[in-house]
């Protein structure tokens, strides 16, 4: 704090405070667009097996009656996959969804057409599922848990992990979250 105060003393600090608000607002808007572009870029960089889980969570959240705006992938928190052999892969993915300015039900929504809103809480999602030949299997039933971030508790996080580790994923391989990357 002391360094900031000494660096801000004198005319340089008062000049910054006199900066016109319009350029500052444009700079802020550019940051919001960059954030949207980064989110779209991080989604496009996900492996297809992880994208399928994100899309499943987005469908569940965006189909909920209480949701007013369209939610899209924002960022990955944690991910893991176990290759069990014979083209079977077990996936765990914890990520955030963020509200956009588009209304719920918007077709073909992405961050280029629907800008993120910064006045709504993030939704924290955890999904786990089994894939075979790249497709999500019906059994065991894919697990999707999405909660508004302010309401998410440590107990809920633990419950998610326990659920994913207990789901019929016992093929003799280590537990799903033992290899979180």
């Amino acid at each position: 704090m002391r360094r900031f105060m000494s660096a801000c003393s004198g005319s340089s600090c008062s000049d910054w405070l006199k900066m016109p608000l319009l350029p500052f607002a444009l700079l802020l808007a550019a940051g919001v667009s960059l954030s949207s572009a980064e989110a779209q870029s991080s989604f496009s960089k996900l492996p297809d097996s992880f994208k399928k889980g994100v899309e499943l969570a987005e469908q569940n959240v965006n189909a909920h009656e209480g949701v007013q705006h369209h939610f899209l992938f924002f960022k990955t928190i944690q991910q893991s996959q176990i290759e069990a052999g014979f083209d079977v892969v077990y996936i765990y993915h914890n990520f955030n969804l963020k509200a956009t300015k588009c209304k719920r039900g918007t077709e073909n929504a992405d961050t280029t057409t629907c800008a993120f809103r910064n006045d709504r809480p993030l939704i924290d999602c955890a999904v786990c599922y089994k894939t075979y030949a790249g497709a999500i299997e019906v059994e065991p039933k894919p697990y999707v848990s999405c909660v508004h971030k302010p309401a998410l508790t440590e107990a809920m996080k633990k419950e998610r992990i326990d659920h994913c580790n207990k789901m019929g994923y016992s093929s003799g391989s280590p537990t799903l979250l033992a290899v979180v990357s």
Side-chain angles (χ1 to χ4, degrees), residues 8 10 23-24 32 45 47-49 68 80 90 95 111 114 116-117 126 139 179:
C8 188
F24 181 69
V32 170
K45 289 178 183 174
D48 285 342
S49 56
Q68 301 296 317
S80 169
Y90 296 100
F95 54 90
T111 55
C114 297
F116 284 124
R117 297 175 63 113
E139 289 296 325
V179 275

Side-chain angles (χ1 to χ4, degrees), residues 15-51:
D15 291 344
W16 184 86
L17 291 173
K18 292 176 188 173
M19 185 173 102
L21 290 179
L22 183 59
F24 181 69
L26 291 174
L27 183 63
L28 182 62
V32 170
S33 329
L34 184 61
S35 173
S36 294
E38 286 172 6
Q40 185 64 29
S41 169
S42 64
F43 178 77
S44 65
K45 289 178 183 174
L46 285 174
D48 285 342
S49 56
F50 285 91
K51 284 181 187 176

Side-chain angles (χ1 to χ4, degrees), residues 107-180:
E107 294 292 321
N108 301 319
D110 66 23
T111 55
T112 59
T113 57
C114 297
F116 284 124
R117 297 175 63 113
N118 291 320
D119 61 343
R120 298 283 187 266
L122 295 175
I123 292 183
D124 186 286
C125 292
V127 295
C128 51
Y129 47 93
K130 174 184 176 182
T131 65
Y132 172 70
I136 295 177
E137 290 284 283
V138 177
E139 289 296 325
K141 184 180 179 186
Y143 175 75
V144 178
S145 170
C146 293
V147 179
H148 274 102
K149 208 143 165 116
L152 185 66
T153 64
E154 290 301 317
M156 288 175 174
K157 290 180 187 178
K158 183 183 180 324
E159 192 176 301
R160 287 171 164 180
I161 291 169
D162 291 345
H163 184 88
C164 288
N165 282 332
K166 289 177 188 171
M167 286 181 76
Y169 296 140
S170 54
S171 61
S173 58
T175 62
L176 190 57
L177 296 176
V179 275
V180 170

Side-chain angles (χ1 to χ4, degrees), residues 57-110:
E58 286 177 342
Q59 289 170 2
N60 285 355
V61 168
N62 289 318
H64 193 276
E65 290 180 26
V67 171
Q68 301 296 317
H69 295 91
H70 197 84
F71 278 80
L72 291 173
F73 177 81
F74 186 62
K75 70 176 180 177
T76 293
I77 307 299
Q78 188 177 47
Q79 65 186 38
S80 169
Q81 78 176 32
I82 294 175
E83 295 185 25
F86 303 104
D87 219 7
V88 172
V89 179
Y90 296 100
I91 303 284
Y92 172 80
H93 192 189
N94 178 211
F95 54 90
N96 291 147
L97 298 179
K98 191 169 184 174
T100 66
K101 294 182 179 182
C102 291
K103 295 291 181 198
R104 177 176 66 116
T106 302
E107 294 292 321
N108 301 319
D110 66 23

